[in-house]
Amino acid sequence: MRTWRDGDGTLTIGTDSGAGPEGQAVRLRIAASYRARTKGLLGRDGIEGAMMLTPCGSVHTFRMRFPIDVAYLDRKFTVLAVTTMKPGRLGLPRLRARHVVEAEAGAMERWGVRPGVRLEPKAAPET
């Protein structure tokens, strides 16, 4: 099992599912530490690209300033479910979810992220 670190990276969508815009890359912020996962998107007015919380099985939007799309991923980064959450909501935990990708509301549909699509996150090389 891979160990993730906080930082930047890219998220490639539809890597082997044959669904969605094959190979589309999106900017990614990785939140792997307890502190980074706890903060998440709190205090922001928006996000360019997406944020991956790992490990993570559920999210909330209390104290958030904008609605978000949430994609729950299994350990192989296959999308289990996608939902849009308004601020002040508590998401249902997904039993098989190991990672969560968050983006501004409407982004997942534009990117073609839906159940069954495989995502490939890559951390930026350390300098």
Side-chain angles (χ1 to χ4, degrees):
M1 177 173 262
R2 181 172 178 181
T3 302
W4 292 93
R5 292 186 172 185
D6 295 343
D8 295 319
T10 58
L11 180 68
T12 306
I13 299 164
T15 56
D16 68 354
S17 64
E22 186 73 24
Q24 178 181 348
V26 175
R27 286 180 52 185
L28 181 68
R29 180 77 185 149
I30 300 167
S33 69
Y34 176 78
R35 186 176 197 171
R37 290 191 320 264
T38 301
K39 184 172 182 194
L41 296 175
L42 295 176
R44 296 182 185 210
D45 291 322
I47 182 171
E48 180 79 26
M51 175 176 276
M52 180 175 77
L53 307 167
T54 183
C56 184
S58 67
V59 296
H60 68 82
T61 58
F62 299 122
R63 298 183 6 231
M64 299 249 334
R65 297 179 181 169
F66 58 98
I68 60 171
D69 284 345
V70 180
Y72 296 90
L73 313 176
D74 66 11
R75 65 183 69 239
K76 294 182 179 180
F77 300 100
T78 301
V79 178
L80 300 171
V82 178
T83 187
T84 301
M85 295 176 64
K86 295 178 183 177
R89 304 285 193 251
L90 178 63
L92 295 173
R94 306 290 172 156
L95 296 178
R96 293 184 1 208
R98 297 293 176 264
H99 317 278
V100 170
V101 174
E102 299 177 338
E104 287 191 12
M108 300 287 181
E109 186 175 345
R110 283 193 311 274
W111 299 335
V113 175
R114 59 186 172 276
V117 171
R118 185 155 186 270
L119 307 179
E120 183 179 337
K122 286 188 180 175
E126 293 185 35
T127 56

